[in-house]
Amino acid sequence: MAAQIINGKEIAAQIRSELKERVDRLASEGRRPGLAVVLVGDNPASAVYVRMKKKACQEIGIYSEEHRLPSTISQGELLALVDQLNADPKIHGILVQLPLPKGLDEEEVINRIDPRKDVDGFHPVNVGKLSIGLPAFVPCTPAGVLELVKRTGTTIAGKKVVVLGRSNIVGKPAAMLFLRENATVTICHSRTVNVKDECAQGDILVVAVGQPQLVKGDWVKPGAVVIDVGINRVDGQIVGDVDFSEVKEVAGAITPVPGGVGPMTIAMLMKNTVDVADVK
Ligand code: NAD
């Protein structure tokens, strides 16, 4: 039987509508959430992401500010902007769009963001809190992955979760999140021996490698939930890291690309921002 297709677009729209209700209530109490997005230079992909984030803020009613800066800006000027946003009570979340142009020190910029406004979840304080099980901002893409799995109704505790990819923004935090949900987690990467056999153990398989259609039908345990984080451009088409046409015949549920994890990333960014404003 072909797999259930997990509709990330629809789930993300539902999350945005739930958030809109919370924002309306917060705004009526004079606590409208605010997000500041900082975009340095003219990376076209970054500009697209920033536009999508701004549009989502408008839809939900989050106040948003965009700070566009030339790639010639100095490290000191960028840090001064972060300081200013850290101190601004209208701003609950700060997002510095990565990658930064060459010559700017990303790590220093991320470390300068107040961890309480770090809605991307990249600050070492939030990374550390996630790993020791304290409440923390969780990076938006893995948070979206977990939400998608939960909304399929799958029980996570006790399941074998295989995460393919160990990046700081997707693979590692995804593994930590599933561990927090009491799954048994395996992390695979480019040096893993027998990746295919490892993947085939997963009741839940999360793939974030950036390799078009790497995961084939015989890499997947029959009935598994497969979440494809990959976004790859091949011959003008967007494809995932999973061979969708093969794997959908084996998996129990699968996300498409596009329309799976992608829309969830922005929805979770909105959620993180609303959560900051919504503290009693
Ligand atoms: P990355 O390049 O930082 O990390 C890739 C990881 O995959 C590494 O840990 C590497 O060891 C592993 N890897 C590479 N080839 C492998 C192989 N053949 N077998 C096993 N492991 C292998 O990538 P990333 O930033 O984590 O992104 C991964 C993919 O997810 C990309 O396609 C990216 O565009 C996409 N992405 C999507 C979203 C979204 O919102 N949907 C967000 C972030 C990233």
Side-chain angles (χ1 to χ4, degrees), residues 41 43 54 76 97 154 167 217 220 223 229 235 252:
N43 180 325
K54 194 171 166 187
Q97 187 66 46
T154 308
S167 72
V220 172
V229 183
D235 300 331

Side-chain angles (χ1 to χ4, degrees), residues 141 164-167 169-170 189-190 208-211 229-232 262 265:
T141 300
L164 192 47
R166 59 169 163 185
S167 72
I169 61 166
V170 189
H189 47 80
S190 54
V209 286
Q211 305 281 337
V229 183
I231 301 177
N232 309 288
T265 297

Side-chain angles (χ1 to χ4, degrees), residues 212 231-239:
I231 301 177
N232 309 288
R233 211 168 286 271
V234 178
D235 300 331
Q237 299 254 56
I238 302 283
V239 298

